Amino acid sequence: MVLSLSLSRNSLLHTSLVLFPSSFSLLYQCHPVYPSVLFEYFIVCSLLIENEIRPSLPDNNDLVLYPTNHLSIGDMCLSLKPLVSDNDQVEKFTAAGKIISSKSFTKHSVKRVLLRAWTLKGRWDITEITRSDPNMFIFEFQLEQDRHWVIDKGPWSINGEILTLTEWDPSVPLQSIPLKFSLWWIQIHGIPPVFMTRDNLHKIGEKAGTVIDMELSESSRWKPFVRALLSINVNNPLYPGFYLPIKSQKPTWVQLKYEKLAYLCFRCVRLGHGRESCSEEADTTIANLQGSPVPLFGPWLRADSKIPKCFIVAVLRAEREAKRKIKRSPSMETMAPQVAQPALGEDSGR
């Protein structure tokens, strides 16, 4: 509504009666014989109404968007109301996941696999995130303990590909979800008991990732390996192991093995693709104590592999080659002169 000064006295009187009835009554009682005063009062009211309903704005040249050229965080803050409250269960029990693979997966295929793998007490659902980064999903759990369970028991395998999971607060943008990190249990094999200290195990774990926890006790010294929980960047090559120098002895090899390790390229030791599609041109080798090169990466990186370490492969190959040579070489029996044997039923020259 915009009032103009060209309105008639009757129009202004009607407008003031509608919008300012109490003020008009009071003014009329004070000035019953001064209509000009009333008319001036109506004009003031109309101006107030016009300015309040449609306030005047400065010209674009005079409009100041920012108070200064050096803005602080407070100058650019804009408070918004969340869709759900901070105490809502949807916020508490949400996780984000990503499948490290060049293949594409749908939420239905992922849920079908996880329904067989997960043993949860409450309901859960999965939503596919439609964005430039493929194979990303949001998981909503009815119970908080179920969310903790699937994250602690990870990583999970979806048709041979790794699914990484992390807790997610919906107030955090999707682009900020740290899905390149995954919690992973590793096994450290071959470390002598005298070196099995917390500081040493932490030093080993930091070469492969960030140490979250480790299973170390007095009895751990006499076990074949010790376990550590790491946060690993899945975009980086996996750390295979190292030579441990020992005084007055030859160096010994300490092998790292990764639990629940599925599809992996043994050429560049990265997740998400196979050897056939790897950009690396040659395998990575390491010299054994005899100076011969052996493959550094292979199935022995898996915790469930029966091959204890990379150097055993060379030994196994040598044994297989020796067996093939024995089979190819003529035996004593084949070198002996052949004696004709009479056929069954044939007279033996009696």
Side-chain angles (χ1 to χ4, degrees):
M1 180 189 302
V2 179
L3 298 183
S4 173
L5 289 178
S6 62
L7 292 175
S8 65
R9 293 172 180 265
N10 292 334
S11 299
L12 288 171
L13 177 61
H14 175 72
T15 304
S16 297
L17 285 172
V18 174
L19 300 177
F20 304 94
S22 59
S23 299
F24 175 81
S25 175
L26 178 62
L27 187 62
Y28 185 79
Q29 293 176 10
C30 296
H31 304 279
V33 293
Y34 293 97
S36 61
V37 176
L38 290 175
F39 183 71
E40 292 176 0
Y41 171 73
F42 300 152
I43 293 176
V44 173
C45 290
S46 66
L47 292 175
L48 291 174
I49 294 171
E50 180 178 3
N51 290 333
E52 185 168 307
I53 295 176
R54 192 157 119 194
S56 60
L57 293 175
D59 296 335
N60 290 335
N61 295 334
D62 299 331
L63 188 61
V64 178
L65 296 179
Y66 308 115
T68 177
N69 290 334
H70 304 285
L71 301 174
S72 65
I73 296 177
D75 293 332
M76 298 301 294
C77 278
L78 178 64
S79 298
L80 300 177
K81 185 177 181 180
L83 180 63
V84 290
S85 65
D86 294 337
N87 296 325
D88 197 287
Q89 282 190 350
V90 175
E91 289 190 65
K92 284 186 177 180
F93 313 138
T94 307
K98 178 178 174 60
I99 300 176
I100 311 299
S101 175
S102 57
K103 306 174 185 177
S104 296
F105 291 82
T106 65
K107 68 174 185 178
H108 303 289
S109 61
V110 174
K111 189 170 186 178
R112 185 166 54 250
V113 174
L114 295 178
L115 282 174
R116 298 192 299 265
W118 288 356
T119 306
L120 305 181
K121 297 182 179 180
R123 297 187 302 272
W124 64 278
D125 200 6
I126 178 175
T127 302
E128 188 172 357
I129 302 177
T130 305
R131 49 180 281 184
S132 58
D133 198 0
N135 296 330
M136 290 191 63
F137 305 91
I138 296 297
F139 297 86
E140 294 179 351
F141 299 92
Q142 182 186 15
L143 301 177
E144 187 176 12
Q145 64 187 59
D146 287 342
R147 184 180 66 172
H148 289 324
W149 186 85
V150 300
I151 294 177
D152 292 342
K153 296 297 182 180
W156 300 91
S157 175
I158 307 296
N159 297 336
E161 309 289 353
I162 292 296
L163 169 65
T164 65
L165 288 167
T166 185
E167 294 185 8
W168 176 59
D169 183 353
S171 64
V172 177
L174 294 175
Q175 293 80 2
S176 302
I177 302 177
L179 287 175
K180 65 179 180 180
F181 294 97
S182 177
L183 293 180
W184 220 312
W185 281 100
I186 68 167
Q187 299 176 3
I188 304 174
H189 291 249
I191 182 170
V194 68
F195 294 102
M196 200 171 292
T197 65
R198 183 167 295 274
D199 290 342
N200 286 336
L201 295 180
H202 191 275
K203 185 177 181 179
I204 297 172
E206 290 294 321
K207 296 291 291 185
T210 302
V211 179
I212 305 299
D213 192 13
M214 62 180 67
E215 295 181 351
L216 182 62
S217 61
E218 289 297 327
S219 60
S220 300
R221 299 175 182 271
W222 316 114
K223 293 182 179 180
F225 61 86
V226 61
R227 299 174 76 225
L229 178 63
L230 307 181
S231 176
I232 296 177
N233 189 334
V234 295
N235 296 328
N236 294 338
L238 299 183
Y239 186 65
F242 60 96
Y243 273 117
L244 174 63
I246 300 179
K247 189 176 181 180
S248 303
Q249 296 185 31
K250 294 181 179 181
T252 185
W253 180 259
V254 178
Q255 181 70 53
L256 268 63
K257 290 177 174 287
Y258 296 79
E259 298 183 1
K260 297 185 179 181
L261 181 60
Y263 197 48
L264 176 71
C265 175
F266 291 134
R267 174 162 288 177
C268 68
V269 75
R270 283 184 172 90
L271 302 168
H273 67 271
R275 184 190 184 99
E276 64 281 355
S277 58
C278 184
S279 59
E280 297 289 338
E281 297 181 356
D283 294 340
T284 302
T285 62
I286 186 173
N288 58 16
L289 296 179
Q290 291 73 36
S292 302
V294 297
L296 183 59
F297 309 126
W300 48 87
L301 291 175
R302 296 191 177 103
D304 56 357
S305 174
K306 295 182 179 180
I307 304 176
K309 54 186 177 181
C310 56
F311 303 105
I312 300 299
V313 177
V315 176
L316 295 177
R317 288 178 179 175
E319 291 179 352
R320 286 196 298 267
E321 185 64 25
K323 290 180 180 179
R324 282 196 294 265
K325 290 181 179 180
I326 292 176
K327 290 181 179 180
R328 287 196 301 266
S329 62
S331 62
M332 295 299 295
E333 182 179 354
T334 56
M335 294 178 62
Q338 298 293 325
V339 179
Q341 299 293 334
L344 292 177
E346 198 174 294
D347 189 2
S348 58
R350 194 177 35 180

